[in-house]
Amino acid sequence: METNPAVNFKARLQRLIAYQDVFARNNILAQRSCDQEFSAFLKFHNDLRRKYADLRAYSEQMDRYVEQYRTDLARKDKKIQSQSSQILRLTQHNKRSNERLNELQRCLDQIKGTITGQNTFDQLRDILRDSAMSDSETTTDLSDKNCTGEELDFDNMNNLPKVVSQSTGLGGVKRSSNSGDPMDLKRPKHDESYPMGRIVATTTTTVDMNDLNNGPVVITSEIHHEEHHRATTNIADQLGASPYSNITVGRPQTDQYASPMRAPARHSLSAQQRPKQKVRKPSRQWLENKSEESELSTDDIFWSKHDEDQQQQQIQQALYPTLPKITSPPSQQQKTLTPSTPIQHTATPPSLMKSSPSSIGTLRARAHNFISRNILIPETCCVCLKRIHFGKLAYRCQACSALCHTGCKENCATLCLPNVKTPSRGAVSKFTSRESNQLQVPAILVHCVKEIEQRGLQEVGIYRLNVVEGQVKELKDRILKSRTGLFDLSHYNDIHLICGVVKDFLRSLSESLLTNALWKSFANVIEEESDFVKQQNFDALIQQLPKPNRDTLAFMILHLQRVAVSPLCRMPILNLSRTMGPAIIGYSSKHVSGIDIVGETYKQTKILEFFLKMPSDYWSKFLIENDNPAPSAPVNKQQISTPTLTRLQHYQNTPPTNYPAPANTFFSPL
Amino acid sequence: MASRKKVLLKVIILGDSGVGKTSLMNQFVNRKFSNQYKATIGADFLTKELQIDDRLVTMQIWDTAGQERFQSLGVAFYRGADCCVLVMDVTSPTSFKSLESWKDEFLIQAGPRDPENFPFVVIGNKIDLENRMIQARKAQAWCQEKNNIPYFETSAKEGVNVEKAFETVARNALAREKEIDQQADFPMPIRIPQQEEQPKKDGCSC
């Protein structure tokens, strides 16, 4: 009984709750608010679902990244491992060699102690030879191990100057062994039979590998420098010109050392040749000169006269730009010819001009200013490349000293750029015209770039593909040393050869275009985050560059920008910056080595890449502004300032055209 | 004595730009080929482990930039190499002519012991192309002349012969490693102390 009411009550309560529930629902239904709530809920739910999907995708992506990074990490770990094992090995060797060094040092000290005044020279030499032998032994030991050798380089760098100075101090010892085998480098092949030669070979090789511009080379060139300085100083006074320019004019053209492997052999060769060349060359030129000015008697006067001629003429050009006919100095009695060829003939055949996308193609050559001469020394004609024989009449351009047969004059298509007597090494300023109101770009670059833009913009892999090294050297020397304006590059079928000359020339400059002083600053700027800051800072730095460097840099960048937009070349900015970085940007100095060079290589490509991405208007500004401040020297400048953005469009649209092969194909450079 | 320790072989790949050095390395290590026309900066290396007979060998393959020739960059990378692979493009006569100078330059810059017998391997790449210019006979003759260098014709694009060429590289490098190991680290005895005696005596007698 008792339970029954309780059960009953419970049941009633449940019913009541159910009723209230139903009632509440009914209310909600009645008020129709549920629809909205439900739709709101649905929306919310959908939202969540979408977010969830997004997050899922994101996390998947992250997973992928993690995977990628992990594999990357593993690879790098491997690299680090192998590197560290090498370093370990290297340090061991270092330690061993250090011990050896100490030992040797001790021995040396002992020897020093024993050497008295009565010791003969021969004994001293014996001792030195022995110590040198064991020295070389250590270096060869080290070099053979599995190591990248950065540390080794530093080692050698530190040790070498000592060795060199030692040998120069006791000149006799070293020289005797040196002259014994002039072909030092071939030595390692049969070193057993020549223990003595082997020492020399190893030491010289390392010298050249590490700093090929150092040491003996520099010394000899300085000697020349001084000699000529002495020879020309009085003239410099007379002329009132800067002694600097006179030295450069007077210095004989030395051999180029662009290849470390040939450097030693060439060094010994050129050391013997140089004096001969020095004597012979002026006198040869002098003879030729004699035909015009018989009152000259000495070489010195020749140099001064020559220089004077050039200067005089440049001044005259500046003074009478519109009257090219009167440019011959009054003292000379030759008949002056009117500027020879009509402008349309000078550049390229009209058909080529039309299809050529190159804006240099439109370059107007300053007409040559030919004067007839009697030839006493047989020379090469710059047009047909045949000899001009003794006693014949020929034309020589007064400005650039291009020389050709009387019949070839009409066909002379080269640009007339002031011929600067160049050394074959030195900074870029040595190769450019010295008048600061002119465009200061080395003539060799202008000629090569003109040729490349005429027929190279269709070539796959331009500036990337190699050519035979010897040919490049030969052509470069030929152009640099030419006294008769052998600039007509259309004889050379292989356009890559000309690219090689450009690269080789830029690389062989004694300092990079960015200059040794500013190189590090450029490298620092490229590390900046924002492009805007980079541009600002680069601009500031570029303004600080010497004018020849800035002009040449701008000229080359504009040229490369034109190459980059030519789809047929397959050389986009990335590729160009990698292949041309070492040439245009170069290194902070000629003597970087080891780990630094790796870092600098990466920076140099980045810098060049950024330069190439800068608008071409920026670069052309440098070339164009040459015109404005110098109304007195208008003759040749605006022609060389080349490129514009408007041209770029033009390239991309030009259909590929097949250029006809150059007419004169018989000439082969080797 | 050193036969059981883990062997690391440093291999340098040299040759003109555009002959396919990077492609060869990628084909060998990653078995991949890409048609991109891309220049290499400086140098980079990849490693690959290889089983040669009963030895596990780690090959460290250095790929260099072709147009960096005669730059001091080489020295740092060439030093301590165990084998050098010279690559040419069978469609480019220039690349064949350059082999000689690459070889000479390597020997000078790397300065290996016993340069006469330093192991080289020559690879003629791109045999998949139609316009072949260098015949196998000519290349083979050149190799024979240069102390019998092994010559292989490969196609990095199609993966032909690449494996085989690199295996030879590893074998030759290994063979040299053994020879070198047999020699003492400092084969020349120190002779200075002896020398030092003599001047002393001379000095006294004078």
Side-chain angles (χ1 to χ4, degrees), chain B residues 127-165:
Chain B
I127 50 166
D128 53 293
L129 291 184
E130 301 286 310
N131 52 335
R132 186 178 176 127
M133 307 282 280
I134 300 292
Q135 295 311 317
R137 230 169 344 111
K138 196 171 164 194
Q140 196 85 51
W142 185 84
C143 291
Q144 222 131 53
E145 199 180 296
K146 305 285 168 198
N147 212 357
N148 235 340
I149 299 174
Y151 173 69
F152 291 91
E153 301 220 318
T154 65
S155 161
K157 187 174 183 178
E158 286 159 10
V160 179
N161 235 351
V162 176
E163 199 87 4
K164 209 172 135 198

Side-chain angles (χ1 to χ4, degrees), chain A residues 337-341 346 365-370 382 396-402 409 412-417 487:
Chain A
L337 295 161
T338 50
S340 59
T341 37
T346 51
R366 179 175 61 174
H368 288 290
N369 181 22
F370 282 119
C382 72
R396 183 183 275 280
C397 172
Q398 283 216 299
C400 65
S401 68
K409 189 188 66 157
C412 184
T414 53
L415 300 175
C416 179
L417 295 169
F487 288 131

